[in-house]
Amino acid sequence: MIIDKKTHFKVKTVRRGFMIFLFSVVVMTLYNCKEKEVDTVFRSDFTSSYQRTWIGPQYWSNPIQDWQIFNGKLECLVSKKNRNVHVLTQKIDSIHGNLEMSVTFKLFNFNTDGNKNWIGFGLGSKGEFNDYRDDAIFGKGLNIGITTDGKLFIGTIPENGEENKMLKEQLKKELTLNVEVKYKDESYTIILSVLDIESTTPVHQIIKKNIDPKSLIGDLVLISNYENQTNPEHKSVAFKDWRISGSKLKTYKENTFGPIMFSQYTLSQGTLKLTAQMAPVSLSNKEKVHLQIKEGSNWKTIKSCKIDQDSRTSVFKIKKWDNSKDISYRLAYKIDNGKNKKEEFYREGVIRKEPLDKDEFIIAAFTGNDHLGFPHTEITDNVKKQDPDILFFSGDQIYEPSGGYGIQRSPLDKASLDYLRKWYMYGWSYRDLMKDRPTISITDDHDVYHGNIWGNNGKPTPREYGFGAKAQDAGGYKMPPRWVNMVQRTQTSHLPDPYDPTPVEQGIKTYYTDMFYGGISFAILEDRKFKSAPKELLGKADIWNGWVQNNSFDVKTEADVAEAKLLGDRQILFLKNWTSDWRYNTQMKVLLSQTIFSNVATLPEEALSDVVVPKLRIMKKGDYPPNDKPVSDFDSNGWPQTGRNKAIETIRKGFVFHLAGDQHLGSTIQYGTKQWNDGGYAFCVPSITNHWPRRWYPSKGMEKENSQKPKYTGDFEDGFGNKMTVYAVSNPLYTGKTPAKIYDRASGYGIVRLHKKEREITMECWPRGADILKGDSQQYEGWPIKIKQEDNYGKKTNTYLPEIQVKGITNPVIQITNEVTNEIVYTLRINGSTFLPKVFNKNHTYTLKIGKNIGDPLETKVFEKLKPNQKETLIVEFDE
């Protein structure tokens, strides 16, 4: 075959050209694929087989109870102001680019109300602290939408101008709202269109140019905004098919939240208890939550639990847990996505090895989790570095205003969701700390929607008083018992089983208990549940909001009536038994409660008779108010005085250190009953954020025998006449930092280090924003404070039993009992093998019990009729 050279060349040329063309097509295809990767696409899916309050892990709704997904749509169930849904996983980025977003909507409420009612989008919604969680709850952005009288707007609703009658008529059917953000020549233009869903042609359109680029960074939001409605419980709008795309969009898959919101666990006496806090998923599908542990590379389900209807919790209890090693676990749950589709979600953590052989046991302690500063990353970041062995939240994990939108007290299902929304905020802040270490949380007044609470053994407040200060002054609980039990289940169901589960009045459950972990024995109290209400017992005082209004009433001599209870007989009995219980190789004992047993606060003299406590002027460092006096706030545990002293005299028998919160003011004090310093030490940690700051600046001459520097430290009486020695106080001071509402109010948290080998306790008080890498200089003035375990029974004496020398065992438990009164003087695991037992009556005789653990008669030696001040040594021998 003869081939023309010219023709052959042409063929080769054509082939080469085709190959170049083909290569170009491939390159362009790859390039376009790459461009599509940048041009991120998001599309909502609101399908579910059941009506569901919780929208899905990619969203946060404000507030939760006002939204639901139903029949493939997202419905706003109310016609109220600023109801919104944020997408968590997509944000408008700071890079220059384009954005397009659309949603199909159907109005239910056509009330025009002076042109203030509208639905639409929020663009670039941002909070104060550059955190996606803060953005989702407190973010504000550029509003874009359509009013119920047919006006489109970008930014603000035009006050003038006629309604669009044609568009208003169109609003009776489904429409699509579409927004385009276009970048060109260093400027942004927004085009807002309303489209007919059948023809996809614009019904109406507006354009706004020269948009500030800073307003186009942040969250993307769906909004329903109805103001001043005559029927606010009327549904407002249904959304579906929310689509977002564009090169200005950035995806954050890690920002999902739920359906397993967070978890809390404790480990005590070989029993693991773990509570999975779930989103308000549908319960009709009967899907369970599964607890799984990792074995090699596989996950094994060890228990499955249903979700509680009210609290949306699943509680796991596993006995004989292997506490000798770290064990990876995860919680698993499948979401119903409609049409028999299930999507499984997980949340992982670690059940830590019990730190029995760790000398320094670290507790991180918190109180007052107000939403100021949410999500509190400067605190959680520091605590991660300090790596505590256990977390303690002493109450007020939520406040009524948390997250905005006020309080919804009824109906019960909505009231529960209202609480859960605020509780989820708590978990959103601390869940990464809680998943890997034990957490103790207990409820206080704001957790159950009280400003103050005197639980009065669970009684209901008089219904005729409503929900204000008059109701809570009467004592008892304002909210229904089922709701109170729901709150307690979310916060305390992971604690060890209650010491005495007998409910108080109305069937409200109890949770006070003990916990043995890492060689530390904890008593967990409910100091407010059993406490008497002062108003019903002290009529002459004219109590209002916990404050005496009758200036002729002498609190120190007239308030301590016989009927008044603080902890109640049940908890005092529990404490008596607990202080004597040193099983499980307990080295030290810590009492955990809502607040301490003194009222460490002062106010200017002229303010003491005010119905509402005035807000304090923040002081500058070095200033000292001239006329402050100790206050008598009946919400504190300084009252009743007899109950307070009884509690202190009980816990000192176990050389107990007291850790608590609630008072908004960080302080370290030592209790006194009959004498100064005859009790133990207490550390009240500062509030996470201090919505209502307090201070301690007693005027000159109020200090007693032990005056110290700073001059607010030393021996004092609080407003009830209780003796206390003040060692340090985190008084609020002007810092110059912004925002001042956080940094000038003495907010922060506490760290307690229990040195088991040395039997010493170190208290640390850290402000928000501290650079912990710079060391103790960053703490509040006066801290750190170190004490010895035996300082927690500070009562002085010159009377002693014979010195004890123990052979065969080290660190035995000793118990001293007064044979005349038949009362235990104290119980203690001594440090080492020698001990000189102090007693307090030289004319009485005493019984000594000593052994590895008091209680086992076969391992306990008993010595009776011991007399004080005998010089000979008592040698006690055990078989090695």
Side-chain angles (χ1 to χ4, degrees), residues 784-838:
I785 295 172
K786 181 177 283 189
I787 64 171
K788 295 184 180 299
Q789 179 184 25
E790 291 185 39
D791 294 337
N792 287 307
Y793 198 154
K795 186 176 180 180
K796 302 296 188 293
T797 186
N798 57 6
T799 304
Y800 296 88
L801 295 180
E803 183 182 59
I804 302 167
Q805 288 186 7
V806 183
K807 298 182 178 180
I809 58 174
T810 56
N811 300 344
V813 178
I814 67 155
Q815 184 176 89
I816 308 294
T817 301
N818 187 314
E819 293 179 345
V820 176
T821 63
N822 201 32
E823 289 188 356
I824 295 172
V825 181
Y826 55 80
T827 311
L828 175 69
R829 185 178 296 280
I830 68 172
N831 191 17
S833 57
T834 62
F835 185 74
L836 184 62
K838 65 180 180 181

Side-chain angles (χ1 to χ4, degrees), residues 122 146 157 183 243 343 421 495 504 584 588 608 610 628 636 658 661 762 813 826 859:
I146 182 170
I157 299 173
Y183 177 72
R243 303 189 187 197
E343 183 178 5
R421 173 175 62 92
L495 298 180
V504 293
Y584 312 109
M588 307 173 82
L608 290 175
D610 284 2
D628 266 27
S636 78
H658 189 186
T762 301
V813 178
Y826 55 80
E859 295 185 357

Side-chain angles (χ1 to χ4, degrees), residues 72 184 236 241 347 390 437 515 533 572 599-600 603 614 646 672 727 765 771 775 788 849 855 868:
K184 185 178 182 180
S236 58
D241 200 18
R347 179 151 181 84
I390 199 167
R437 52 181 58 79
M515 174 176 163
I572 289 294
N599 194 183
V600 188
L603 279 175
K646 190 172 186 180
Y727 291 97
C765 194
D771 184 352
K788 295 184 180 299
K849 292 182 180 179

Side-chain angles (χ1 to χ4, degrees), residues 52 57 121 151 187 190 198 225 244 284 368 393 431 468 482 562 579 639 641 644 651 664 778 790 842 855 858 880:
R52 191 172 79 203
F121 300 118
K151 292 188 181 72
S187 177
I190 294 180
E198 296 178 357
N225 188 82
I244 313 168
S284 53
F393 293 87
R431 62 178 183 162
R482 180 175 170 182
T579 55
W639 180 86
Q641 296 94 316
R644 176 258 188 193
I651 63 174
H664 300 242
Q778 296 287 292
E790 291 185 39
K842 63 182 180 182
L858 299 178
E880 295 187 13

Side-chain angles (χ1 to χ4, degrees), residues 255-308:
N255 285 1
T256 57
F257 190 31
I260 307 162
M261 310 302 270
F262 57 96
S263 61
Q264 301 183 97
Y265 80 84
T266 58
L267 183 59
S268 179
Q269 303 176 48
T271 296
L272 172 72
K273 287 191 70 179
L274 184 148
T275 296
Q277 180 61 65
M278 303 299 294
V281 294
S282 297
L283 300 181
S284 53
N285 60 9
K286 300 180 181 179
E287 184 64 48
K288 292 183 178 181
V289 182
H290 308 283
L291 176 60
Q292 302 174 342
I293 59 172
K294 199 166 190 179
E295 294 185 346
S297 59
N298 299 318
W299 290 96
K300 175 186 176 183
T301 297
I302 58 173
K303 197 163 188 178
S304 301
C305 291
K306 292 182 179 180
I307 301 173
D308 177 70

Side-chain angles (χ1 to χ4, degrees), residues 515-625:
M515 174 176 163
F516 297 86
Y517 183 74
I520 309 300
S521 173
F522 297 94
I524 303 166
L525 286 188
E526 303 181 70
D527 14 337
R528 304 300 172 82
K529 181 169 285 179
F530 299 90
K531 188 175 179 179
S532 302
K535 188 173 183 64
E536 68 175 0
L537 298 179
L538 308 174
K540 178 184 173 183
D542 187 19
I543 302 288
W544 181 265
N545 200 32
W547 294 82
V548 172
Q549 303 304 301
N550 180 2
N551 291 332
S552 67
F553 184 82
D554 187 346
V555 171
K556 293 184 179 181
T557 61
E558 298 182 79
D560 191 24
V561 295
E563 305 95 317
K565 302 283 187 182
L566 178 57
L567 301 181
D569 296 338
R570 289 172 61 178
Q571 290 194 111
I572 289 294
L573 176 62
F574 158 62
L575 288 175
K576 285 181 178 178
N577 293 332
W578 172 72
T579 55
S580 301
D581 185 359
W582 290 73
R583 292 174 297 163
Y584 312 109
N585 199 31
T586 293
Q587 306 293 306
M588 307 173 82
K589 284 187 172 285
V590 178
L591 173 67
L592 303 175
S593 72
Q594 281 91 350
T595 194
I596 59 175
F597 302 139
S598 287
N599 194 183
V600 188
T602 60
L603 279 175
E605 187 172 3
E606 62 271 15
L608 290 175
S609 61
D610 284 2
V611 171
V612 179
V613 185
K615 290 188 176 180
L616 299 173
R617 180 175 68 86
I618 304 299
M619 308 297 294
K620 293 183 178 179
K621 189 170 183 178
D623 290 349
Y624 203 97

